[in-house]
Every structure is written in structure tokens, then in C-alpha cells.
């Protein structure tokens, strides 16, 4: 009886196991970027391979779909303001606060995201601008115009990017893409996640960490602003006043 029960359980395990199983391997060309006053931006290559299920042969025209996401692992808050004319001047009137938005966001794919998976699947993993969560203040739903203005501003600053078709396959299993890090990339950790899709579903994923670190005087000032924000702000105020007085004295001396 025990042997028969074990056989039944084993048969059940075979029946509910997935019909496919594959392994995704991924890597990055650099895992640490150091930022100083001379940093003008850089590029990081992301590459990998998808090993098909045992016994499966992936044809050239049936290569897996790949989506690469690079985003800050720390959420931030952004306030979007709308300017309106009041007489001869423009003033800030209405505004929307967006919470838990990444400071940096990049997504690349081998073809259009809409052709890879259904909207609900893309939304589950926040793949693409249309599916990136931009939570607003509690009890307030982010309005489309403010959300779009935020995305446009981040894209203009090169902090957000979406490149459909930027992932290229060098063979049915090997792929590669490149992420551009602008000079204003925020310090901190960037989470690099690679998703492999088949028939609109995620079959495997792989995550890595890219460290963005400030060096030299930039690192000292950055750490000081975090550890001693009041002293840092006071020092900036003193420097600004000193610079203003020096400029005023130089102007009076010339005239």
C-alpha cells in the first residue's frame, strides 16, 4: 500500500511539473562605476544566454524574447507642478506628488514590448513606461498629465529610457544590449534584471547589482549632506554669501 501511494505521488509530481525548463545566464561588463568631477557618463554592456530545455532545439526564428530592466533600488519622491499665467507672469498652481518612483529607469527589449507579453504581465514586472508604477500621495490617484510630464522630464534628463529593439541576438541563445549612464546618474545601487519570455510568459530571470559610487571631494560632500544635512546647508549658505560679497567688492573696485 505504501509503495503504491509513493507511485501515485510520483506520477502526480510528473503531471504538474512545467512542460519546459530553461536556464538564463546574464552578466554585466562592469559592476562598479566611480563618479567624480570629471565624469561625463559611460556605457555598460549587458549580455547573457538562454539555454533551452533538455532536448529542445531553438530555431533561429524562434529565439526567446528578452527584456532588460535597469533601475534604482531606492525609491524617491517627485513633485510635478503646472504653471499657469496670472497676468503677465507664470506661476505654479496645481501640483501632483509622485511617490516611490525610481531615480533611474532603463528598459530594453529585442522587439516591441506589446508584442512580447500582454499588458497585465508587463504591469506585473513594471516593464516599460506605460507600466511603471508612479504612486501618488495616499488617497490620490496620479493624473495622466502629471505622470506623463514626469516621464518626459526624466527622459529629457536621460534618467529614463525605453529602447524597444535594442536587445540583439548574436545566436539563437546569446543576446546583448547596452545601457547609457548619463553624467547626472544618481549615486547608489542599480538593479539589473533580465527576463526571458516564451509565448508571452516569463520563463526565467536573472538579477545583478551595478554600484554607482562617488569618489574624491564629491563623495565627501555627498556623505556630509546625508550625515550632517544642517551643517551642510549652513556651509553652503556661508559659501554663497562669501562669494556674493567677494563679487560685490570686485565690482566696486573696478568702478
Amino acid at each position: 500500500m505504501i509503495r503504491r501511494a509513493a507511485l501515485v505521488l510520483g506520477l502526480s509530481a510528473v503531471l504538474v511539473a512545467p512542460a519546459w525548463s530553461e536556464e538564463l545566464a546574464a552578466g554585466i561588463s562592469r559592476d562598479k562605476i566611480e563618479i567624480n568631477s570629471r565624469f561625463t557618463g559611460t556605457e555598460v554592456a549587458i549580455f547573457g544566454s538562454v539555454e533551452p530545455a533538455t532536448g529542445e532545439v531553438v530555431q533561429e526564428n524562434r529565439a526567446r524574447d528578452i527584456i532588460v530592466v535597469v533601475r534604482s533600488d531606492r525609491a524617491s519622491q517627485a513633485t510635478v507642478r503646472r504653471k499657469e499665467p496670472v497676468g503677465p507672469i507664470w506661476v505654479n498652481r496645481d501640483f501632483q506628488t509622485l511617490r516611490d518612483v525610481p531615480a533611474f529607469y532603463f528598459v530594453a527589449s529585442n522587439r516591441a514590448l506589446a508584442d512580447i507579453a500582454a499588458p497585465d504581465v508587463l504591469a506585473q514586472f513594471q516593464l516599460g513606461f506605460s507600466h511603471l508604477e508612479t504612486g501618488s500621495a495616499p488617497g490620490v490617484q496620479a493624473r495622466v498629465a502629471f505622470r506623463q510630464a514626469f516621464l518626459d522630464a526624466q527622459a529629457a534628463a536621460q534618467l529614463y529610457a525605453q529602447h524597444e529593439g535594442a536587445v540583439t541576438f548574436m545566436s539563437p541563445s546569446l543576446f546583448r544590449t547596452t545601457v547609457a549612464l548619463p553624467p547626472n546618474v544618481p549615486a547608489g545601487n542599480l538593479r539589473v534584471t533580465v527576463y526571458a519570455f516564451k509565448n508571452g510568459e516569463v520563463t526565467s530571470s536573472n538579477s545583478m547589482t551595478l554600484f554607482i559610487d562617488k569618489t574624491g571631494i564629491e563623495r565627501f560632500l555627498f556623505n556630509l549632506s546625508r550625515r550632517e544635512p544642517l551643517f551642510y546647508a549652513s556651509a553652503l549658505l556661508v559659501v554663497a554669501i562669501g562669494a556674493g560679497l567677494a563679487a560685490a567688492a570686485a565690482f566696486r573696485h573696478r568702478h
Side-chain angles (χ1 to χ4, degrees):
M1 178 65 69
I2 295 177
R3 183 176 301 176
R4 181 177 299 177
L7 180 60
V8 172
L9 290 176
L11 179 59
S12 299
V14 172
L15 290 177
V16 300
W20 40 260
S21 177
E22 58 187 14
E23 181 178 354
L24 170 64
I28 50 181
S29 58
R30 302 168 62 181
D31 61 2
K32 185 176 182 180
I33 306 295
E34 294 185 344
I35 300 176
N36 54 34
S37 58
R38 297 179 299 275
F39 181 72
T40 59
T42 188
E43 292 185 344
V44 175
I46 304 171
F47 50 87
S49 66
V50 182
E51 299 300 328
T54 303
E56 180 185 6
V57 178
V58 180
Q59 302 298 326
E60 187 72 32
N61 60 353
R62 292 185 58 247
R64 298 291 189 266
D65 287 311
I66 297 293
I67 300 179
V68 177
V69 178
V70 183
R71 60 180 295 165
S72 303
D73 65 354
R74 184 176 58 208
S76 58
Q77 178 176 299
T79 300
V80 183
R81 302 182 185 277
R82 173 184 291 162
K83 289 183 177 293
E84 295 181 0
V86 177
I89 62 175
W90 289 76
V91 297
N92 293 324
R93 296 295 295 270
D94 201 6
F95 71 93
Q96 178 86 53
T97 299
L98 305 179
R99 302 179 185 272
D100 300 330
V101 293
F104 182 86
Y105 179 84
F106 167 91
V107 59
S109 56
N110 62 301
R111 58 186 180 135
L113 295 174
D115 295 336
I116 294 178
D120 59 330
V121 176
L122 298 175
Q124 178 183 356
F125 300 99
Q126 298 191 50
L127 303 178
F129 285 1
S130 299
H131 307 286
L132 180 63
E133 292 184 3
T134 52
S136 57
V140 180
Q141 185 175 5
R143 282 165 284 181
V144 175
F146 287 89
R147 183 182 187 278
Q148 189 59 51
F150 169 76
L151 294 176
D152 292 342
Q154 292 295 91
Q158 301 180 18
L159 294 174
Y160 279 25
Q162 178 172 316
H163 300 294
E164 296 172 300
V167 176
T168 58
F169 277 92
M170 296 169 284
S171 75
S173 60
L174 299 176
F175 61 87
R176 184 183 188 277
T177 192
T178 302
V179 55
L181 302 177
N184 57 335
V185 61
N189 298 340
L190 297 180
R191 187 171 69 252
V192 182
T193 307
V194 181
Y195 298 93
F197 281 78
K198 180 182 179 183
N199 298 328
E201 298 293 337
V202 175
T203 59
S204 54
S205 64
N206 198 322
S207 295
M208 302 152 285
T209 300
L210 175 60
F211 301 95
I212 309 294
D213 194 16
K214 292 181 181 291
T215 60
I217 185 63
E218 289 80 10
R219 180 171 185 174
F220 170 76
L221 293 176
F222 177 79
N223 291 336
L224 182 63
S225 67
R226 295 302 180 91
R227 293 196 302 262
E228 303 289 344
L230 182 59
F231 176 79
Y232 177 77
S234 301
L236 288 182
L237 181 60
V238 171
V239 171
I241 294 175
L245 293 176
F251 182 79
R252 286 197 302 268
H253 178 73
R254 290 185 57 184
H255 296 275

